[in-house]
Amino acid sequence: MARQVCPLCRERRGKRRCPAKSEDICAHCCGTKRRVVIDCPSDCAYLTGSHAPGWDGRETERRRDARRLAPFIQAVSDVQARLLFLALAGITALRARRRDLDDALLFQAVAALRKTVETRARGVLYDHQTDDARAQGLVLELRQMFEASGEAGREVAPEDRDLLPVLQALEAAIAATLAEREGPVAFLDTALRLVGRLEGSPASPSRPLIVEP
């Protein structure tokens, strides 16, 4: 019987039975996402023994993720923090659909959308463009992340006074991560881990994006 595709990466075959997911996941996802995206029970066999090496660095990774995002989260209001979490969750979903997405491409798209909202706040309607056509298509997808259908099918979007600080914070966080030169998807990886941790924990009613180092 053929093994099922890993439900986390949807790329590799699942070879390890995950008690948290009640499914077979691949060894790579088991090793990199344990206790980050996966809420592993303490008695999981893969947390100890020959499978344990490499786990010691995960707490350092958590601190690095907090350092990358906490200053920008703390600079926005509660409403804006929720929008920022929505953006991170949406970006994580986009990454699963777009294999070409990396931090540089995301930065271009966020910067263009931020400029568009900034210009609109001054009373001028103008859609700023990106240098990369792939990033331009991403701008539309980012804009749609913040929109929802309200009554009578009308689109509901956040006020620019809330959306603009969120985009500014997101742009600055990506820029700071790019400056670290830790790899082409360092920020995307941080977003994935943070979203996974927050979705697996009870949400704070006031500031769901407070990240503990």
Side-chain angles (χ1 to χ4, degrees):
M1 182 178 177
R3 291 185 181 274
Q4 297 296 315
V5 174
C6 172
L8 297 177
C9 66
R10 301 194 181 281
E11 295 178 357
R12 292 169 287 269
R13 294 292 180 184
K15 296 182 178 180
R16 294 183 179 179
R17 190 65 180 175
C18 176
K21 297 294 183 182
S22 298
E23 295 183 77
D24 292 338
I25 65 175
C26 69
H28 177 78
C29 285
C30 176
T32 60
K33 298 178 181 179
R34 61 180 67 171
R35 288 184 174 172
V36 178
V37 175
I38 306 170
D39 187 17
C40 308
S42 59
D43 60 350
C44 177
Y46 293 104
L47 293 179
T48 59
S50 62
H51 302 288
W55 172 249
D56 292 342
R58 306 304 284 179
E59 285 304 313
T60 300
E61 191 174 70
R62 290 171 70 97
R63 289 193 292 271
R64 182 176 59 193
D65 290 344
R67 173 176 52 78
R68 283 175 176 165
L69 285 170
F72 306 101
I73 294 167
Q74 292 166 358
V76 299
S77 71
D78 290 347
V79 170
Q80 293 159 7
R82 292 180 183 278
L83 284 175
L84 186 51
F85 175 68
L86 174 67
L88 292 174
I91 287 168
T92 298
L94 281 177
R95 183 187 188 185
R97 300 196 303 268
R98 297 188 55 150
R99 300 295 180 85
D100 63 335
L101 184 59
D102 59 17
D103 292 350
L105 200 62
L106 179 62
F107 178 77
Q108 280 194 54
V110 171
L113 183 56
R114 186 267 303 166
K115 291 175 185 176
T116 295
V117 174
E118 206 167 45
T119 302
R120 188 170 64 205
R122 295 197 296 266
V124 179
L125 298 179
Y126 177 76
D127 288 336
H128 289 263
Q129 305 297 302
T130 64
D131 294 332
D132 192 316
R134 296 173 303 159
Q136 191 59 44
L138 186 59
V139 172
L140 176 60
E141 294 185 85
L142 290 175
R143 181 184 291 126
Q144 291 173 339
M145 288 191 326
F146 296 103
E147 297 174 349
S149 295
E151 295 181 3
R154 292 182 301 177
E155 289 186 349
V156 179
E159 298 286 342
D160 285 348
R161 64 186 177 187
D162 288 321
L163 181 57
L164 182 56
V166 169
L167 292 172
Q168 289 171 333
L170 185 58
E171 182 182 2
I174 300 169
T177 304
L178 283 168
E180 295 176 13
R181 299 183 182 278
E182 289 293 327
V185 293
F187 180 83
L188 288 170
D189 285 346
T190 285
L192 173 67
R193 289 189 292 266
L194 179 61
V195 169
R197 287 197 294 267
L198 292 179
E199 286 183 344
S201 304
S204 165
S206 57
R207 293 183 69 82
L209 272 178
I210 293 297
V211 191
E212 297 295 338

